Amino acid sequence: MPGRRKQLVGGAALALTALLSVSATSAASPADSAGTSAVTFFDDFSGNNLDRSKWKVLKTGENFGTVNNEQQAYVDSPETIYIDHNVAGASGGTLALHPRYRPGHQAPDGRSYDFISGRVSTQDRFEFTYGRYEARIKLPENANAAGLWPAWWSLGAKIDEGEPWPTNGEVDVMENVGEPWTSVALHGPEYHGDTPVNASQSFPNGDPGGWHTYRADWWNGGFTFFVDGRQIYRITKAEIERNGWTWVYDDPQYMILNFALGGSYPQGVNGVTQPYPGLPQSTVDKVASGSARYLIDWVRVSQ
């Protein structure tokens, strides 16, 4: 897995973000007319198990090593990845990514971890160039457990052809670090890690822990991001190139859902160093109790 580092948007980054973004009243992107588009990928998790013809389960120490100083090992286990048919507010089955406290867990590469969790992607199953991709998601612990880091994002498939991160391109459609807001971002050759190409949003109706739909519209000239149909950020290829940076989003991407714990991004926000980087004892207790789950009702791509 590529290294991914993020921190809370600061004043300078916010100023640059404002210069790069376009307001919600700007002209709609071509992808905004997706009502006439064909659905090319859909999973509502209606089966009893994860559909592995659509999703690949990734494992720490086998598919990649640890990045961002995250504290979990990703494993392929029904403890951490399963379908739940009894979730309030969901339309049917729900994918649950459920971290567990397992002190001393040893990954295939021999490294030890105190937490295990789940990560799935459409790598080698479904890749796409341009279109609308969206997911209906419920954040864990009402988005108030510091250091929990669920994410919904896509990654340039050229990484499988030897193109390293970040030159393959990464798109973060939703990230949350246990605070009452979510963020979006692009990571490319000259803008990655603490990337200035980003925005955050709070929830106007005050329910960050409720069900929400997170969406990216991607066309050959840029991206527009939405939460519940409300535009929160727009960035264009022209703006990136005007800044002297490289646009790397005209090749296939695949989607990823994962649930990380602690690490550089949460720590950059909450400043916690003990008992784990970015992960306070109160959140460790919630993970140990089994209450922290990241839930996905459905995922859809239209092109």
Side-chain angles (χ1 to χ4, degrees):
M1 173 179 171
R4 299 170 63 236
R5 309 179 316 280
K6 290 195 64 186
Q7 297 181 6
L8 183 63
V9 178
L14 274 172
L16 183 52
T17 298
L19 290 173
L20 290 170
S21 63
V22 177
S23 73
T25 59
S26 300
S29 69
D32 288 334
S33 61
T36 59
S37 299
V39 174
T40 54
F41 179 96
F42 181 70
D43 196 351
D44 61 357
F45 307 107
S46 58
N48 292 322
N49 298 292
L50 182 73
D51 185 346
R52 296 192 181 225
S53 70
K54 296 178 178 178
W55 300 98
K56 177 179 182 178
V57 176
L58 301 174
K59 295 179 280 187
T60 299
E62 185 171 312
N63 301 110
F64 44 68
T66 295
V67 296
N68 308 313
N69 202 25
E70 296 169 17
Q71 299 301 300
Q72 82 293 329
Y74 293 117
V75 300
D76 186 350
S77 168
E79 277 195 300
T80 58
I81 304 170
Y82 57 89
I83 305 299
D84 189 338
H85 288 275
N86 297 292
V87 176
S91 58
T94 302
L95 172 64
L97 300 182
H98 196 160
R100 308 287 185 165
Y101 184 49
R102 296 290 183 269
H105 171 84
Q106 191 169 71
D109 61 2
R111 180 172 173 177
S112 292
Y113 299 80
D114 286 348
F115 305 91
I116 58 174
S117 191
R119 171 170 166 156
V120 299
S121 86
T122 63
Q123 184 180 24
D124 304 327
R125 273 67 166 171
F126 176 80
E127 299 170 355
F128 64 107
T129 306
Y130 312 134
R132 169 178 295 176
Y133 51 120
E134 54 193 329
R136 186 169 186 256
I137 284 170
K138 184 173 174 57
L139 298 175
E141 286 295 314
N142 292 313
N144 64 4
L148 297 182
W149 187 2
W152 155 234
W153 51 296
S154 66
L155 190 63
K158 279 192 170 182
I159 198 168
D160 294 332
E161 303 168 9
E163 186 74 39
W165 186 91
T167 59
N168 65 315
E170 174 184 328
V171 183
D172 299 331
V173 184
M174 188 289 298
E175 290 187 285
N176 175 261
V177 290
E179 307 289 336
W181 48 264
T182 62
S183 59
V184 301
L186 297 188
H187 298 262
E190 304 89 0
Y191 47 99
H192 57 272
D194 190 12
T195 172
V197 187
N198 75 91
S200 61
Q201 68 87 33
S202 298
F203 296 86
N205 57 5
D207 64 339
W211 284 105
H212 297 283
T213 300
Y214 302 87
R215 162 183 147 209
D217 284 0
W218 173 25
W219 76 106
N220 62 1
F223 289 90
T224 312
F225 296 90
F226 301 83
V227 177
D228 297 330
R230 174 175 52 91
Q231 181 174 313
I232 61 170
Y233 186 57
R234 188 171 186 250
I235 184 69
T236 67
K237 179 178 181 179
E239 289 169 307
I240 291 287
E241 293 180 339
R242 270 201 306 272
N243 207 55
W245 298 338
T246 309
W247 181 260
V248 290
Y249 307 98
D250 291 319
D251 296 303
Q253 298 244 331
Y254 58 82
M255 300 178 288
I256 302 169
L257 291 158
N258 69 282
F259 194 170
L261 286 82
S264 57
Y265 186 15
Q267 187 176 24
V269 173
N270 59 41
V272 171
T273 59
Q274 298 292 329
Y276 302 92
L279 202 62
Q281 186 62 52
S282 59
T283 300
V284 173
D285 293 342
K286 290 181 178 181
V287 175
S289 75
S291 66
R293 298 199 304 170
Y294 176 28
L295 302 175
I296 302 93
D297 189 10
W298 50 259
V299 176
R300 179 169 57 219
V301 178
S302 303
Q303 293 178 281

